Every structure is written in structure tokens, then in C-alpha cells.
Amino acid sequence: KAVVSTQSTGIVKMHIQMLFVIFIFSKHHLETLETLISQIPEIGPALHAPFVEFMDKQKLRLRSGGKQGGAPSESVLSKCFEVFVVGMILYFVISLVNSLAQQYYKDNVEGKKQK
């Protein structure tokens, strides 16, 4: 029973995260973010052009299935983001295994105490 509950919780979390990413990266929100970046005093205009260029490249990569006529150029920012996402996935898996182990331990200790 606990394993099913933990697995269903993980599935629900995954779908909530997926909807959050879709919502945040909608066209309207990205345009708002663009406007906010350009309004930052002194550094805003300098950040605006690279941000727009980066988002355009990402849209192109998404629509072309990641194939952009040759090897895609990897930036430091994309590598950092990739490491961050992998870290989040590993944290999720470790927390899931930890939760299962705690539940297993709890069930075994309580089972032995009742005998």
C-alpha cells in the first residue's frame, strides 16, 4: 500500500512540474520576462539581446527536434542548466528510494514488535 502511495505521489509531482514548466515558458510569460530584463537599469539593454537570441535558438532547436544542421554549440549556461536538471532528477530518485526504505523499515520494525 505504501509503495503505491509513494509511486502515485511521484507521478503527481512529475505532472505538476511539467504543467509548471509549460505555463512558465508560454509565449506571454517569456515576452513579459523579456520586457522586465530590458528594464533593468544599466545592464538590462545589454542582457536583452543575448536573452532573445538564446530563446530564439531554443525555439528553433525544439521545433527541429534538436537537429540544427551540424553539431549544436554548447554554451556554459546550457551545460550549467543541464547539470542542474540532472541534479534535480537525481535528488527526486534518491528521495523516492529513501522514502521507500523508510517505509520498508517502519513496516518491518512494527511487524517485529507486534509478534
Side-chain angles (χ1 to χ4, degrees):
K1 182 178 176 181
V3 172
V4 173
S5 174
T6 304
Q7 289 174 346
S8 61
T9 302
I11 291 170
V12 169
K13 280 182 177 180
M14 178 198 59
H15 282 90
I16 290 171
Q17 289 172 346
M18 181 180 64
L19 290 173
F20 178 75
V21 168
I22 290 170
F23 176 74
I24 290 300
F25 289 105
S26 68
K27 185 176 182 179
H28 169 72
H29 290 103
L30 287 176
E31 288 172 353
T32 304
L33 184 59
E34 254 182 67
T35 305
L36 290 174
I37 287 175
S38 65
Q39 292 176 352
I40 297 173
E42 296 188 29
I43 62 169
L47 290 176
H48 183 262
F51 177 76
V52 171
E53 181 182 336
F54 174 75
M55 294 310 295
D56 288 341
K57 284 182 182 177
Q58 293 303 315
K59 286 179 193 176
L60 182 63
R61 285 180 65 190
L62 178 65
R63 291 187 180 133
S64 68
K67 300 172 186 168
Q68 272 188 309
S73 60
E74 298 273 335
S75 69
V76 174
L77 181 62
S78 66
K79 283 291 186 185
C80 290
F81 186 70
E82 185 177 327
V83 168
F84 176 72
V85 170
V86 169
M88 284 177 39
I89 292 170
L90 287 174
Y91 176 77
F92 174 74
V93 169
I94 290 170
S95 67
L96 182 65
V97 169
N98 185 29
S99 176
L100 290 171
Q102 286 177 354
Q103 187 64 38
Y104 179 78
Y105 177 78
K106 180 181 172 187
D107 290 345
N108 281 343
V109 169
E110 288 179 2
K112 288 180 181 179
K113 285 183 180 178
Q114 290 177 356
K115 290 183 181 179

